[in-house]
Amino acid sequence: MSSLTITIVIVFIIGYLCIALETLTKVNKAAVALLMLVACWTIYMFDPGNFTAGLSPDQIAAEASAAIEGHLGSTATTLFFLMGAMTIVETVDQNGGFNFVRDMMKTKSKRALLWRITILTFFLSAILDNMTTAIVMVMILRKLIADRKDRLIYASLIIIAANSGGAFSPIGDVTTIMLWNKGLITAAGVIKELFIPSLISIALPAFILSLKLKGDVSTKADLGTAAVAADDFSERQRKAVFWIGVGGLIFVPIFKSITHLPPFVGILLVLGVLWTATEIFYRHLPETEDKGGTHKRIANIISRIDMGTILFFLGILMAVSCLQEIGVLSALGEGLNTTFDGNHYIVTGLIGVLSSIVDNVPLVAGCMGMYPMAEVGDMAQDGIFWQLLAYCAGVGGSMLIIGSAAGVVVMGLEKITFGWYMKHISWIAFVGYILGIVAYWVEKAVIGL
């Protein structure tokens, strides 16, 4: 291994540690990821001949530029998909499209409410992303539960259900979006073979936590009078916004299978249709801040999209692509296969445990660079390795409250401490995680799916 390669690896490791220790360093992980991107590729460009021996200086420069642009193009498809999806979900939420979720929670029994929250969160996160679903459900939970002890149990279950629901859907989690966008998994394949493992990974935790709840709900506020967003739209228009937005997200995989275009094209189609529809709905309203819904229009919602998250993905994915370019990831992948004798259940299982400690996005991005897709076998499209990676990276994040975007968001909203979650919830999430892997093994080894 050359000194240049070692330098790039050291820079990446230092950056990765800073991202993992964000709560201690107080430096936003997006800033660190961007510095990683620039540092890794600058070192690479400083002496690209080290990786392109035998070429003239002009050819080396051309090869290096083509490599960066190629990886940027691949990364951009994921980023555009995320920006489109985030805008669609925010538009539906701002215009009252999720009011039906609140209405479905009307029950007095604590256990019945737990199961309703679990089921709704599980399926919503498969359509939306797990972080957005967690935010929506916690906001509704605050209107329902006055007792903080009970609310912590419900909130913890929202984290597990959101991560489990996102794992079996091609659009439910950033990691599944990445794998789907690269063609490593298909929408039909991941839904068919990961639905049962994902369901088991949340069903057992929900059952265990339900035993801790007894009696009726003591409401904090009457559900029927809870604040409703979007006074500007009629009930019919709110339903239209919901079905165009959420129905459109469901349609994206179908659009891809019909046209064979990248997923981000489908998401932009849905965004365009939703944008047009909401503009038509707003035409009859006065153009004022308080009664024209201008702050709820997509043109303004786009300006409020979390660009920090987008830039984090840009930085980390491009930094990982540099490691891929210099051959480090392929060497690491071969080493793991040799160590564990090609047992993909152990390899992906460990990746899932790691994803509860560090961000699962760079972990999955690294695996995508470590293991090339094969024509047949476990590494083929919808092979055991890629589907297990989607499951483990998503569900594994539930084991620690800092292990997923949903966990971090709920931690902030409900002020759940790391220690409380680890003591009361981590072992429950771990048991569900392991049983999900066992269920997948049964599907493959026993049933033969």
Side-chain angles (χ1 to χ4, degrees), residues 402-448:
I402 62 169
S404 66
V408 172
V409 164
V410 175
M411 182 183 188
L413 291 174
E414 287 298 322
K415 302 298 185 289
I416 302 175
T417 64
F418 179 90
W420 183 92
Y421 189 93
M422 190 171 186
K423 180 180 178 181
H424 296 92
I425 307 297
S426 291
W427 71 271
I428 298 174
F430 178 73
V431 172
Y433 170 73
I434 294 297
L435 287 182
I437 295 177
V438 172
Y440 184 82
W441 176 81
V442 171
E443 285 183 353
K444 291 295 184 181
V446 181
I447 301 175

Short mmCIF file of all heavy atoms in Angstrom, two decimals, residues 402-448:
data_model
loop_
_atom_site.label_atom_id
_atom_site.label_comp_id
_atom_site.label_asym_id
_atom_site.label_seq_id
_atom_site.Cartn_x
_atom_site.Cartn_y
_atom_site.Cartn_z
N ILE A 402 -28.85 6.75 19.34
CA ILE A 402 -28.09 7.58 18.41
C ILE A 402 -27.78 6.84 17.11
O ILE A 402 -27.07 7.35 16.24
CB ILE A 402 -26.76 8.06 19.04
CG1 ILE A 402 -25.87 6.86 19.38
CG2 ILE A 402 -27.01 8.93 20.24
CD1 ILE A 402 -24.45 7.21 19.76
N GLY A 403 -28.32 5.62 16.95
CA GLY A 403 -27.97 4.79 15.82
C GLY A 403 -28.75 5.04 14.54
O GLY A 403 -28.51 4.38 13.53
N SER A 404 -29.70 5.96 14.56
CA SER A 404 -30.50 6.24 13.37
C SER A 404 -30.98 7.68 13.40
O SER A 404 -31.02 8.31 14.47
CB SER A 404 -31.71 5.30 13.30
OG SER A 404 -32.60 5.56 14.37
N ALA A 405 -31.36 8.19 12.23
CA ALA A 405 -31.89 9.54 12.16
C ALA A 405 -33.18 9.65 12.96
O ALA A 405 -33.42 10.65 13.65
CB ALA A 405 -32.13 9.92 10.70
N ALA A 406 -34.01 8.61 12.90
CA ALA A 406 -35.26 8.61 13.66
C ALA A 406 -34.97 8.68 15.16
O ALA A 406 -35.63 9.41 15.91
CB ALA A 406 -36.06 7.35 13.34
N GLY A 407 -33.97 7.92 15.62
CA GLY A 407 -33.62 7.93 17.03
C GLY A 407 -33.11 9.27 17.51
O GLY A 407 -33.50 9.76 18.58
N VAL A 408 -32.25 9.88 16.73
CA VAL A 408 -31.69 11.18 17.10
C VAL A 408 -32.80 12.24 17.17
O VAL A 408 -32.83 13.07 18.08
CB VAL A 408 -30.60 11.61 16.10
CG1 VAL A 408 -30.15 13.03 16.36
CG2 VAL A 408 -29.40 10.66 16.19
N VAL A 409 -33.72 12.20 16.21
CA VAL A 409 -34.82 13.18 16.18
C VAL A 409 -35.72 13.01 17.41
O VAL A 409 -36.06 13.99 18.09
CB VAL A 409 -35.65 13.01 14.89
CG1 VAL A 409 -36.99 13.72 15.01
CG2 VAL A 409 -34.88 13.57 13.70
N VAL A 410 -36.12 11.77 17.70
CA VAL A 410 -36.99 11.52 18.86
C VAL A 410 -36.26 11.84 20.16
O VAL A 410 -36.85 12.36 21.11
CB VAL A 410 -37.47 10.06 18.86
CG1 VAL A 410 -38.28 9.76 20.12
CG2 VAL A 410 -38.33 9.79 17.62
N MET A 411 -34.97 11.55 20.21
CA MET A 411 -34.16 11.88 21.38
C MET A 411 -34.23 13.38 21.68
O MET A 411 -34.38 13.79 22.85
CB MET A 411 -32.70 11.47 21.12
CG MET A 411 -31.75 11.72 22.27
SD MET A 411 -30.04 11.28 21.81
CE MET A 411 -29.21 11.43 23.38
N GLY A 412 -34.15 14.19 20.64
CA GLY A 412 -34.23 15.63 20.81
C GLY A 412 -35.62 16.11 21.17
O GLY A 412 -35.79 16.97 22.05
N LEU A 413 -36.64 15.54 20.53
CA LEU A 413 -38.02 15.98 20.76
C LEU A 413 -38.53 15.62 22.15
O LEU A 413 -39.21 16.40 22.80
CB LEU A 413 -38.94 15.39 19.70
CG LEU A 413 -38.78 15.90 18.26
CD1 LEU A 413 -39.66 15.11 17.30
CD2 LEU A 413 -39.12 17.39 18.17
N GLU A 414 -38.21 14.40 22.59
CA GLU A 414 -38.74 13.91 23.87
C GLU A 414 -37.71 13.92 25.00
O GLU A 414 -38.00 13.46 26.10
CB GLU A 414 -39.30 12.49 23.69
CG GLU A 414 -40.60 12.44 22.93
CD GLU A 414 -41.72 13.19 23.65
OE1 GLU A 414 -41.79 13.14 24.90
OE2 GLU A 414 -42.53 13.83 22.96
N LYS A 415 -36.50 14.40 24.71
CA LYS A 415 -35.43 14.48 25.72
C LYS A 415 -35.15 13.12 26.36
O LYS A 415 -34.99 13.00 27.58
CB LYS A 415 -35.81 15.50 26.80
CG LYS A 415 -36.07 16.90 26.27
CD LYS A 415 -34.84 17.49 25.62
CE LYS A 415 -35.05 18.93 25.18
NZ LYS A 415 -35.96 19.06 24.03
N ILE A 416 -35.11 12.08 25.54
CA ILE A 416 -34.77 10.74 26.02
C ILE A 416 -33.25 10.65 26.18
O ILE A 416 -32.51 10.99 25.25
CB ILE A 416 -35.26 9.65 25.03
CG1 ILE A 416 -36.77 9.76 24.83
CG2 ILE A 416 -34.90 8.26 25.55
CD1 ILE A 416 -37.32 8.81 23.78
N THR A 417 -32.79 10.18 27.30
CA THR A 417 -31.35 10.09 27.52
C THR A 417 -30.79 8.80 26.91
O THR A 417 -31.50 7.79 26.78
CB THR A 417 -31.01 10.11 29.02
OG1 THR A 417 -31.55 8.94 29.64
CG2 THR A 417 -31.57 11.35 29.69
N PHE A 418 -29.52 8.86 26.57
CA PHE A 418 -28.84 7.69 26.00
C PHE A 418 -28.89 6.52 26.97
O PHE A 418 -29.16 5.38 26.60
CB PHE A 418 -27.39 8.06 25.68
CG PHE A 418 -26.57 6.93 25.10
CD1 PHE A 418 -26.51 6.73 23.73
CD2 PHE A 418 -25.87 6.09 25.94
CE1 PHE A 418 -25.76 5.69 23.20
CE2 PHE A 418 -25.11 5.04 25.42
CZ PHE A 418 -25.06 4.85 24.04
N GLY A 419 -28.63 6.81 28.26
CA GLY A 419 -28.60 5.76 29.28
C GLY A 419 -29.94 5.09 29.48
O GLY A 419 -30.02 3.86 29.61
N TRP A 420 -31.03 5.88 29.53
CA TRP A 420 -32.36 5.30 29.74
C TRP A 420 -32.72 4.36 28.60
O TRP A 420 -33.21 3.26 28.82
CB TRP A 420 -33.41 6.42 29.83
CG TRP A 420 -34.79 5.88 30.11
CD1 TRP A 420 -35.36 5.69 31.33
CD2 TRP A 420 -35.75 5.43 29.14
NE1 TRP A 420 -36.63 5.15 31.18
CE2 TRP A 420 -36.89 4.98 29.84
CE3 TRP A 420 -35.76 5.35 27.75
CZ2 TRP A 420 -38.02 4.47 29.20
CZ3 TRP A 420 -36.88 4.84 27.10
CH2 TRP A 420 -38.00 4.41 27.82
N TYR A 421 -32.46 4.80 27.38
CA TYR A 421 -32.80 3.99 26.21
C TYR A 421 -31.99 2.70 26.22
O TYR A 421 -32.51 1.61 25.96
CB TYR A 421 -32.52 4.78 24.93
CG TYR A 421 -33.03 4.10 23.67
CD1 TYR A 421 -34.30 4.39 23.17
CD2 TYR A 421 -32.24 3.19 22.97
CE1 TYR A 421 -34.77 3.78 22.01
CE2 TYR A 421 -32.70 2.58 21.81
CZ TYR A 421 -33.96 2.87 21.34
OH TYR A 421 -34.42 2.26 20.20
N MET A 422 -30.70 2.81 26.52
CA MET A 422 -29.84 1.63 26.52
C MET A 422 -30.27 0.62 27.58
O MET A 422 -30.24 -0.60 27.37
CB MET A 422 -28.39 2.04 26.73
CG MET A 422 -27.39 0.93 26.51
SD MET A 422 -25.69 1.54 26.51
CE MET A 422 -24.81 0.04 26.06
N LYS A 423 -30.69 1.12 28.73
CA LYS A 423 -31.10 0.24 29.83
C LYS A 423 -32.43 -0.44 29.57
O LYS A 423 -32.59 -1.64 29.85
CB LYS A 423 -31.18 1.06 31.12
CG LYS A 423 -31.60 0.24 32.35
CD LYS A 423 -31.66 1.12 33.59
CE LYS A 423 -32.12 0.31 34.80
NZ LYS A 423 -32.21 1.17 36.02
N HIS A 424 -33.39 0.30 29.02
CA HIS A 424 -34.75 -0.23 28.90
C HIS A 424 -35.13 -0.74 27.51
O HIS A 424 -36.02 -1.60 27.40
CB HIS A 424 -35.76 0.86 29.32
CG HIS A 424 -35.67 1.27 30.74
ND1 HIS A 424 -34.88 2.32 31.16
CD2 HIS A 424 -36.24 0.77 31.87
CE1 HIS A 424 -34.99 2.47 32.47
NE2 HIS A 424 -35.81 1.54 32.93
N ILE A 425 -34.50 -0.24 26.48
CA ILE A 425 -34.97 -0.52 25.12
C ILE A 425 -33.96 -1.30 24.27
O ILE A 425 -34.36 -2.14 23.47
CB ILE A 425 -35.33 0.80 24.38
CG1 ILE A 425 -36.30 1.63 25.22
CG2 ILE A 425 -35.91 0.50 23.02
CD1 ILE A 425 -37.64 0.97 25.47
N SER A 426 -32.68 -1.06 24.45
CA SER A 426 -31.66 -1.63 23.56
C SER A 426 -31.74 -3.14 23.45
O SER A 426 -31.68 -3.70 22.35
CB SER A 426 -30.25 -1.22 24.02
OG SER A 426 -30.04 0.15 23.82
N TRP A 427 -31.90 -3.82 24.58
CA TRP A 427 -31.94 -5.29 24.53
C TRP A 427 -33.19 -5.79 23.80
O TRP A 427 -33.14 -6.82 23.11
CB TRP A 427 -31.87 -5.88 25.94
CG TRP A 427 -33.12 -5.69 26.77
CD1 TRP A 427 -33.42 -4.66 27.59
CD2 TRP A 427 -34.22 -6.60 26.85
NE1 TRP A 427 -34.64 -4.83 28.18
CE2 TRP A 427 -35.15 -6.02 27.75
CE3 TRP A 427 -34.52 -7.83 26.27
CZ2 TRP A 427 -36.36 -6.64 28.08
CZ3 TRP A 427 -35.73 -8.45 26.59
CH2 TRP A 427 -36.63 -7.86 27.48
N ILE A 428 -34.27 -5.04 23.94
CA ILE A 428 -35.51 -5.43 23.25
C ILE A 428 -35.34 -5.27 21.73
O ILE A 428 -35.73 -6.14 20.95
CB ILE A 428 -36.69 -4.56 23.75
CG1 ILE A 428 -36.92 -4.79 25.24
CG2 ILE A 428 -37.96 -4.86 22.96
CD1 ILE A 428 -37.97 -3.88 25.85
N ALA A 429 -34.75 -4.14 21.32
CA ALA A 429 -34.49 -3.91 19.89
C ALA A 429 -33.52 -4.95 19.34
O ALA A 429 -33.68 -5.42 18.20
CB ALA A 429 -33.93 -2.51 19.68
N PHE A 430 -32.52 -5.35 20.14
CA PHE A 430 -31.54 -6.34 19.70
C PHE A 430 -32.19 -7.71 19.47
O PHE A 430 -31.91 -8.38 18.48
CB PHE A 430 -30.42 -6.47 20.73
CG PHE A 430 -29.39 -7.51 20.39
CD1 PHE A 430 -28.47 -7.29 19.36
CD2 PHE A 430 -29.36 -8.71 21.07
CE1 PHE A 430 -27.53 -8.25 19.03
CE2 PHE A 430 -28.42 -9.69 20.75
CZ PHE A 430 -27.50 -9.46 19.72
N VAL A 431 -33.07 -8.10 20.37
CA VAL A 431 -33.77 -9.38 20.22
C VAL A 431 -34.61 -9.39 18.94
O VAL A 431 -34.60 -10.36 18.17
CB VAL A 431 -34.66 -9.67 21.45
CG1 VAL A 431 -35.54 -10.90 21.20
CG2 VAL A 431 -33.79 -9.91 22.69
N GLY A 432 -35.33 -8.29 18.70
CA GLY A 432 -36.11 -8.19 17.47
C GLY A 432 -35.24 -8.24 16.24
O GLY A 432 -35.58 -8.88 15.23
N TYR A 433 -34.08 -7.57 16.29
CA TYR A 433 -33.12 -7.54 15.18
C TYR A 433 -32.62 -8.95 14.85
O TYR A 433 -32.63 -9.36 13.68
CB TYR A 433 -31.95 -6.64 15.59
CG TYR A 433 -30.75 -6.65 14.68
CD1 TYR A 433 -30.78 -6.04 13.43
CD2 TYR A 433 -29.56 -7.26 15.09
CE1 TYR A 433 -29.67 -6.03 12.61
CE2 TYR A 433 -28.44 -7.25 14.28
CZ TYR A 433 -28.49 -6.64 13.03
OH TYR A 433 -27.39 -6.63 12.23
N ILE A 434 -32.23 -9.71 15.86
CA ILE A 434 -31.72 -11.07 15.65
C ILE A 434 -32.82 -11.98 15.10
O ILE A 434 -32.59 -12.78 14.18
CB ILE A 434 -31.16 -11.65 16.97
CG1 ILE A 434 -29.91 -10.86 17.39
CG2 ILE A 434 -30.83 -13.13 16.80
CD1 ILE A 434 -28.76 -10.93 16.42
N LEU A 435 -34.03 -11.89 15.66
CA LEU A 435 -35.13 -12.74 15.18
C LEU A 435 -35.48 -12.44 13.73
O LEU A 435 -35.87 -13.33 12.99
CB LEU A 435 -36.35 -12.56 16.08
CG LEU A 435 -36.27 -13.21 17.46
CD1 LEU A 435 -37.57 -12.99 18.22
CD2 LEU A 435 -35.98 -14.70 17.34
N GLY A 436 -35.32 -11.16 13.33
CA GLY A 436 -35.56 -10.81 11.93
C GLY A 436 -34.56 -11.48 11.01
O GLY A 436 -34.91 -11.97 9.92
N ILE A 437 -33.28 -11.53 11.43
CA ILE A 437 -32.25 -12.21 10.63
C ILE A 437 -32.56 -13.70 10.56
O ILE A 437 -32.42 -14.33 9.49
CB ILE A 437 -30.85 -11.97 11.25
CG1 ILE A 437 -30.49 -10.49 11.16
CG2 ILE A 437 -29.80 -12.82 10.53
CD1 ILE A 437 -29.16 -10.15 11.82
N VAL A 438 -32.98 -14.28 11.68
CA VAL A 438 -33.35 -15.71 11.69
C VAL A 438 -34.52 -15.96 10.74
O VAL A 438 -34.53 -16.96 10.00
CB VAL A 438 -33.71 -16.16 13.12
CG1 VAL A 438 -34.29 -17.58 13.11
CG2 VAL A 438 -32.49 -16.10 14.03
N ALA A 439 -35.50 -15.06 10.74
CA ALA A 439 -36.66 -15.20 9.85
C ALA A 439 -36.21 -15.17 8.38
O ALA A 439 -36.71 -15.94 7.56
CB ALA A 439 -37.68 -14.10 10.12
N TYR A 440 -35.26 -14.29 8.07
CA TYR A 440 -34.74 -14.22 6.70
C TYR A 440 -34.02 -15.52 6.34
O TYR A 440 -34.16 -16.03 5.23
CB TYR A 440 -33.80 -13.03 6.55
CG TYR A 440 -33.30 -12.83 5.13
CD1 TYR A 440 -34.10 -12.18 4.19
CD2 TYR A 440 -32.07 -13.31 4.73
CE1 TYR A 440 -33.66 -12.00 2.88
CE2 TYR A 440 -31.62 -13.15 3.42
CZ TYR A 440 -32.41 -12.49 2.51
OH TYR A 440 -31.98 -12.34 1.21
N TRP A 441 -33.25 -16.06 7.29
CA TRP A 441 -32.56 -17.33 7.05
C TRP A 441 -33.56 -18.46 6.79
O TRP A 441 -33.35 -19.29 5.91
CB TRP A 441 -31.68 -17.68 8.26
CG TRP A 441 -31.02 -19.02 8.12
CD1 TRP A 441 -29.89 -19.33 7.44
CD2 TRP A 441 -31.50 -20.26 8.70
NE1 TRP A 441 -29.61 -20.66 7.54
CE2 TRP A 441 -30.58 -21.28 8.31
CE3 TRP A 441 -32.58 -20.60 9.50
CZ2 TRP A 441 -30.73 -22.60 8.69
CZ3 TRP A 441 -32.74 -21.93 9.88
CH2 TRP A 441 -31.81 -22.90 9.48
N VAL A 442 -34.65 -18.46 7.55
CA VAL A 442 -35.70 -19.48 7.34
C VAL A 442 -36.30 -19.34 5.95
O VAL A 442 -36.53 -20.35 5.25
CB VAL A 442 -36.79 -19.35 8.42
CG1 VAL A 442 -37.99 -20.25 8.07
CG2 VAL A 442 -36.24 -19.72 9.78
N GLU A 443 -36.54 -18.10 5.52
CA GLU A 443 -37.08 -17.89 4.17
C GLU A 443 -36.17 -18.48 3.10
O GLU A 443 -36.64 -19.09 2.15
CB GLU A 443 -37.25 -16.38 3.91
CG GLU A 443 -38.41 -15.72 4.61
CD GLU A 443 -38.53 -14.26 4.24
OE1 GLU A 443 -37.63 -13.73 3.56
OE2 GLU A 443 -39.53 -13.63 4.64
N LYS A 444 -34.86 -18.27 3.27
CA LYS A 444 -33.90 -18.69 2.25
C LYS A 444 -33.52 -20.15 2.36
O LYS A 444 -33.51 -20.89 1.36
CB LYS A 444 -32.64 -17.83 2.35
CG LYS A 444 -32.83 -16.39 1.92
CD LYS A 444 -33.17 -16.31 0.44
CE LYS A 444 -33.29 -14.89 -0.04
NZ LYS A 444 -33.63 -14.82 -1.48
N ALA A 445 -33.18 -20.60 3.58
CA ALA A 445 -32.64 -21.96 3.76
C ALA A 445 -33.71 -23.03 3.91
O ALA A 445 -33.50 -24.16 3.50
CB ALA A 445 -31.72 -21.97 4.97
N VAL A 446 -34.85 -22.67 4.49
CA VAL A 446 -35.89 -23.66 4.76
C VAL A 446 -37.02 -23.61 3.74
O VAL A 446 -37.34 -24.61 3.08
CB VAL A 446 -36.47 -23.47 6.18
CG1 VAL A 446 -37.55 -24.52 6.46
CG2 VAL A 446 -35.37 -23.57 7.23
N ILE A 447 -37.58 -22.41 3.56
CA ILE A 447 -38.70 -22.27 2.61
C ILE A 447 -38.19 -22.22 1.19
O ILE A 447 -38.85 -22.69 0.25
CB ILE A 447 -39.52 -20.99 2.95
CG1 ILE A 447 -40.06 -21.10 4.38
CG2 ILE A 447 -40.67 -20.81 1.97
CD1 ILE A 447 -40.78 -19.86 4.85
N GLY A 448 -37.02 -21.60 0.99
CA GLY A 448 -36.43 -21.55 -0.36
C GLY A 448 -36.96 -20.43 -1.22
O GLY A 448 -37.08 -20.59 -2.45
#
